[in-house]
Amino acid sequence: MTALVVVGTQWGDEGKGKIVDLLTEQADAVVRYQGGNNAGHTVMFGDQTHILHLIPSGILRDTMSILGNGVVIDLPELLKEIEELRENGVEVKGTLHVSARSHLVMPWHRLIDQLREAGKGEKKIGTTGRGIGPAYEDKVGRRGIRMGDLRHPKQFLDRLEEIIAEKNAMLNHLYDASDQCFDPASIHREYLEYFERIESYVTETPTLVNSLVEKGRRLLFEGAQGTFLDIDHGTYPFVTSSNTVSGNACAGGGIGPRHISDVVGIVKAYTTRVGSGPFPTELLDQTGDSLRSVGQEFGATTGRPRRCGWFDAVLVRYAVRLNGITSLALTKLDILDEFETLKLCVGYRMTDGSTHTDFPFEGHEDVEPIYEELPGWKTKTAGLTKYNDLPMRLLDYLKRIEELVGAPASIISTGPKREDTIVLNPDQFWKS
Ligand code: GDP
Ligand code: IMO
Ligand code: MG
């Protein structure tokens, strides 16, 4: 079997970019299968820091990188990202492939996302404002524009006229934004210019991916966001608009499930969330502030401060099951180096007094976390690269997490850089 999927097990920003970059060393191709430039994946090595939004993190190792059919693409943003990489010495020509079936995030998607959020006031979802929700709505509503549609200028114009008439009616009558209406002819011109610059990258990625599968090549599927932002399984409606779970690597990447051998769940040693929505272990006190400042918890895409809290084993256990996680990559343990004691949430007490160890359908806002307390290790672990150098108390914390969530750790990350990593058994991936 040839496919390994990397998924976030919490609310995103678990360190997927770092781990994907690390595992890419052993991979022949990296595929993004969902989401868009709402993602922000940080990769650090040497003195370089890269934040990737759309392009798979594999690009930094000059490995074939594919934007699959399940991704939604803001074309000018993709061109900007290509240009930024080029300026930093990373050439994507020949390495990057873009699915003709991927849907475009158009300017009205961005605008409607922002207008809707502004209109919701207190009830806003706290989206990244990148137009992701409206783009997926139009995909499912069969009003989307696919990358490959731009190969046919006449049909593209017909489609724009039909779609823009509807969008302008919404802007005029629903959002009182008649000054922001769109003109089909100028969008047509603008997007055909963009397309000229990207056309040589556009291909039938499912065919490409399956030809790699047939040759026995190692594929790495890079998830974006996290399990609890999944449209089906997350804390709806405070979620993103795609399926973020590993199963979507198949639909969004174009492979059959039998090819997946490993699912690596990325787990932050505590919990963070950006945007609105329930967060049972959130800390609105000084401990939460410490996690934010020591952990540098500010959004890689929007720069917003991330909400911080203790590790929630109820969430991650559910994520292990939903994604079929075969092993865990634990990140940011070093951020806990100075804490006197650490809390692990092992269950939820509901308002009616009942307790749950499985993630419940409702009542997330009001649950009271049931905590277990462990002593901190109070030793600097940042940058350690040998398992035997890890303090006993850190290993106890790690082992308790493994027990509670039902999956073994395969990678321990001790810092943001590629080299700050302990891989427990480097030969274990892509084996079964
Ligand atoms: P992603 O969206 O899951 O790729 O994660 P982000 O890049 O948005 O956020 C993770 C942040 O944590 C980035 O700034 C990483 O450089 C950083 N990071 C990843 N792993 C570690 C780690 O083990 N320790 C520390 N201190 N930072 C880490
Ligand atoms: P990575 O891949 C963290 C959150 C937003 C908001 C909700 C919906 O870097 O982990 P959207 O713009 O998708 O409609 O916003 O989802 N969100 C993320 N939070 N990490 C991300 O990506 C996110 N992508 C979206 O903050 O709450
Ligand atoms: Mg991120």
Side-chain angles (χ1 to χ4, degrees), residues 11-14 16 32 38-41 52 113 125-134 223-226 229 237-241 273-276 300-302 304 306:
W11 278 292
D13 304 326
E14 298 90 349
K16 297 176 292 294
R32 271 281 304 269
N38 48 349
H41 296 174
L52 296 147
D113 190 3
I125 288 167
T127 71
T128 59
R130 302 296 192 266
I132 305 300
Q225 290 82 51
L229 290 171
F238 301 101
V239 292
T240 192
S241 297
R273 166 162 215 172
V274 215
S276 324
T301 295
T302 58
R304 291 177 290 177
R306 295 175 182 150

Side-chain angles (χ1 to χ4, degrees), residues 108 128 190 192-193 198 214 281 287-289 311 388 404 427:
W108 43 88
T128 59
E190 186 185 341
L192 288 182
E193 274 174 32
I198 203 78
E214 281 152 22
T281 62
T287 311
D289 293 344
F311 185 84
N388 289 341
L404 288 167
D427 296 328

Side-chain angles (χ1 to χ4, degrees), residues 277-297:
F279 183 171
T281 62
E282 182 170 20
L283 293 166
L284 297 167
D285 57 9
Q286 226 202 315
T287 311
D289 293 344
S290 299
L291 285 171
R292 187 176 311 104
S293 63
V294 181
Q296 286 293 297
E297 294 295 352

Side-chain angles (χ1 to χ4, degrees), residues 51-292:
I51 300 180
L52 296 147
H53 299 286
L54 267 166
I55 300 179
S57 304
I59 204 84
L60 300 171
R61 292 194 187 253
D62 210 20
T63 298
M64 184 189 286
S65 296
I66 298 170
L67 281 170
N69 54 280
V71 176
V72 288
I73 299 180
D74 188 322
L75 197 38
E77 290 300 314
L78 174 61
L79 291 167
K80 202 159 57 168
E81 203 167 316
I82 292 174
E83 214 37 63
E84 278 169 14
L85 282 169
R86 204 165 271 151
E87 280 163 19
N88 288 315
V90 183
E91 179 51 60
V92 306
K93 190 100 195 110
T95 322
L96 179 67
H97 303 273
V98 179
S99 178
R101 292 171 191 275
S102 58
H103 276 246
L104 296 184
V105 179
M106 297 300 284
W108 43 88
H109 294 136
R110 245 177 293 144
L111 179 62
I112 291 170
D113 190 3
Q114 290 161 15
L115 289 171
R116 259 194 211 146
E117 283 281 278
K120 280 190 174 158
E122 291 280 281
K123 291 190 177 152
K124 69 172 191 231
I125 288 167
T127 71
T128 59
R130 302 296 192 266
I132 305 300
Y136 276 115
E137 277 172 43
D138 278 356
K139 172 180 177 175
V140 176
R142 295 163 294 188
R143 320 176 272 275
I145 297 167
R146 296 171 305 169
M147 188 65 81
D149 294 338
L150 272 62
R151 286 177 181 147
H152 311 284
K154 171 73 182 75
Q155 287 95 320
F156 176 42
L157 183 61
D158 291 346
R159 199 135 169 81
L160 279 177
E161 279 168 353
E162 191 187 322
I163 291 168
I164 289 178
E166 193 185 65
K167 300 301 171 196
N168 283 350
M170 280 171 76
L171 292 170
N172 275 316
H173 303 297
L174 197 60
Y175 293 109
D176 197 18
S178 46
D179 55 327
Q180 301 191 66
C181 282
F182 294 95
D183 169 44
S186 59
I187 295 281
H188 188 250
R189 210 175 317 112
E190 186 185 341
Y191 274 74
L192 288 182
E193 274 174 32
Y194 296 143
F195 188 63
E196 241 180 70
R197 293 163 58 194
I198 203 78
E199 191 170 7
S200 60
Y201 299 81
V202 178
T203 187
E204 270 290 26
T205 54
T207 307
L208 174 62
V209 165
N210 282 293
S211 69
L212 294 169
V213 168
E214 281 152 22
K215 289 183 193 133
R217 298 283 195 267
R218 292 172 163 196
L219 295 169
L220 200 171
F221 286 82
E222 174 176 358
Q225 290 82 51
T227 301
F228 293 89
L229 290 171
D230 182 283
I231 186 74
D232 280 276
H233 303 287
T235 44
Y236 191 91
F238 301 101
V239 292
T240 192
S241 297
S242 63
N243 283 113
T244 61
V245 291
S246 62
N248 195 24
C250 295
I255 57 157
R258 73 190 172 96
H259 301 301
I260 297 177
S261 54
D262 311 74
V263 180
V264 178
I266 316 299
V267 182
K268 198 180 276 187
Y270 48 96
T271 314
T272 63
R273 166 162 215 172
V274 215
S276 324
F279 183 171
T281 62
E282 182 170 20
L283 293 166
L284 297 167
D285 57 9
Q286 226 202 315
T287 311
D289 293 344
S290 299
L291 285 171
R292 187 176 311 104

